[in-house]
Amino acid sequence: MNLLDLAPEQAAASLRSWLEARREPSYRIRQILPRLWNKPVRAWAEATDLPLTLRSELDATFPLPRLALDARQVSRDGTVKYLWRLEDGLAVESVLIPEGKRRTLCISSQVGCAFGCIFCATGTMGFQRNLACWEIACQVREVVLETGERPTNVVFMGMGEPLHNWEQVDRALTILNSPSGFGIGARHITVSTVGLLPGLSKLAARKEQFRLAISLHAATHQTRLALMPVERKYDLDRLMKALEVFERRVTFEYIVIRGRNDSPADAEALAALARPLKALVNLIPLHPGGAVPLPAAGAAEMAAFARRLRALGVSVSVRKSRGLDISAACGQLRVEVERARRVRTQEHGGVQQQLRVGLPE
Ligand code: SAH
Ligand code: SF4
């Protein structure tokens, strides 16, 4: 049985009945349970506060699956990208972004993505499969094992659309938030979505105050349609109506693309959407790597667009072009690693090729 795929309460219940059947003292549960998430071990052999026989029995009954670290890139600003190889050979990314006291981990929810936004590297892969709950939660677990520290914040801004894999994301949210899981406060956990309405109502039905980021990227139907095929299914009108009843403050993610969504008229349309909801607009610099080459707005253009929005009464933050912008470009490491490997096998036989470390200028 895979305890890492269960909500902590269910895992505790399974462990308790297993321990009772073996006539183990009841305090064992307090030694074993934290080893799943709070103070994780790579394998039961590492839980040296337990008797050796119990460790090997745990290992036989409840083996702890791992994500294999396939590539790791460290940028000059301390941001770390991880590429995890899954049991079936597919791969997903996580990105750790230290910022002062904050350590934000950006995690993936699916392999590839079905929504094909034209600017997104993950979108070019198409949908491959859903991640299981444990594969989502273990991205955090592996980073804790590797760094010895728990992230302070987790964002679902890696590969995939979390609300398209709600059942597994739902349980992963419980593991992240529960005191017997990672114990990360709901306000420090952000679900990012293009706005799938059925998933939004399921997220809204949870009592915890998880944060919601909406990948808006356009403020009119026509502009959004040209960037994001999802607009055909769940259009802006319906999305805004759904957000009115959401009763939580949302963030609008908005990649600024020169000549596509950054005109004064775009700023006015965006302000008209953001103001009634008191939404925070997060302007994001465009990263290359999507299906269609698009012109990124420069820093000065981004600042001008931000000023215009502020003058219209909108709260705006501008994402730095280092740090968080890497998470925005989740999907790129996998594309890069796979391209490097193809080159290696085609041109260099088995020669080990060093991956480029650091961010593109
Ligand atoms: N599918 C969800 C979550 C993953 S994408 C969503 O779209 O919200 C996470 C963030 O990365 C989104 O805000 C997305 O729009 C952004 N992103 C994708 N491609 C990007 C690019 N080329 N440059 C900058 N941000 C990008
Ligand atoms: Fe999928 Fe999000 Fe990328 Fe769009 S931006 S293709 S929804 S991962």
Side-chain angles (χ1 to χ4, degrees), residues 39 62 82 109-110 139 141 193 237 284 287 314 328 343 350:
K39 293 185 211 118
F62 304 111
Y82 299 89
S109 56
Q110 298 180 315
Q139 295 168 55
R141 190 173 195 271
T193 176
D237 274 354
I284 306 171
H287 252 249
V314 179
V343 170

Side-chain angles (χ1 to χ4, degrees), residues 122-339:
T122 305
T124 63
M125 296 168 196
F127 175 72
Q128 291 175 298
R129 73 167 170 89
N130 279 327
L131 290 184
C133 167
W134 73 270
E135 292 170 315
I136 300 171
C138 280
Q139 295 168 55
V140 185
R141 190 173 195 271
E142 292 293 340
V143 168
V144 175
L145 285 171
E146 214 227 4
T147 63
E149 279 182 294
R150 187 178 322 174
T152 58
N153 298 63
V154 174
V155 296
F156 283 80
M157 293 189 184
M159 294 164 68
E161 169 50 55
L163 297 187
H164 188 219
N165 184 19
W166 173 249
E167 205 183 306
Q168 305 300 312
V169 167
D170 189 23
R171 202 154 74 253
L173 285 169
T174 303
I175 293 174
L176 294 176
N177 178 239
S178 156
S180 29
F182 286 110
I184 300 170
R187 287 189 173 79
H188 295 163
I189 301 171
T190 302
V191 175
S192 175
T193 176
V194 287
L196 308 187
L197 302 188
L200 273 179
S201 49
K202 288 174 190 155
L203 178 64
R206 286 202 57 153
K207 60 181 190 318
E208 306 92 334
Q209 298 284 306
F210 297 117
R211 289 202 187 269
L212 175 66
I214 298 287
S215 287
L216 205 66
H217 309 313
T220 65
H221 178 66
Q222 284 309 325
T223 309
R224 200 164 191 256
L225 202 54
L227 297 172
M228 304 171 70
V230 70
E231 178 68 14
R232 253 180 286 156
K233 189 155 185 194
Y234 301 115
D235 63 34
L236 275 176
D237 274 354
R238 291 172 68 199
L239 177 57
M240 292 306 136
K241 288 203 179 78
L243 294 178
E244 273 167 31
V245 294
F246 196 67
E247 289 183 345
R248 278 179 229 168
R249 203 162 168 206
V250 297
T251 299
F252 286 159
E253 305 287 308
Y254 198 94
I255 304 173
V256 189
I257 309 171
R258 180 186 293 157
R260 295 297 282 267
N261 66 1
D262 65 341
S263 71
D266 288 312
E268 290 196 9
L270 179 53
L273 299 181
R275 262 186 327 238
L277 295 170
K278 296 192 173 62
L280 171 73
V281 173
N282 189 206
L283 299 180
I284 306 171
L286 175 76
H287 252 249
V292 177
L294 292 164
E301 289 161 295
M302 300 244 324
F305 195 67
R307 266 198 308 279
R308 208 179 277 280
L309 286 170
R310 288 193 187 107
L312 292 164
V314 179
S315 318
V316 183
S317 63
V318 179
R319 194 176 279 181
K320 280 182 282 176
S321 62
R322 353 175 307 175
L324 268 175
D325 72 325
I326 293 183
S327 72
C330 254
Q332 289 186 324
L333 177 58
R334 189 182 123 175
V335 170
E336 202 174 306
V337 166
E338 281 166 7
R339 192 177 298 136

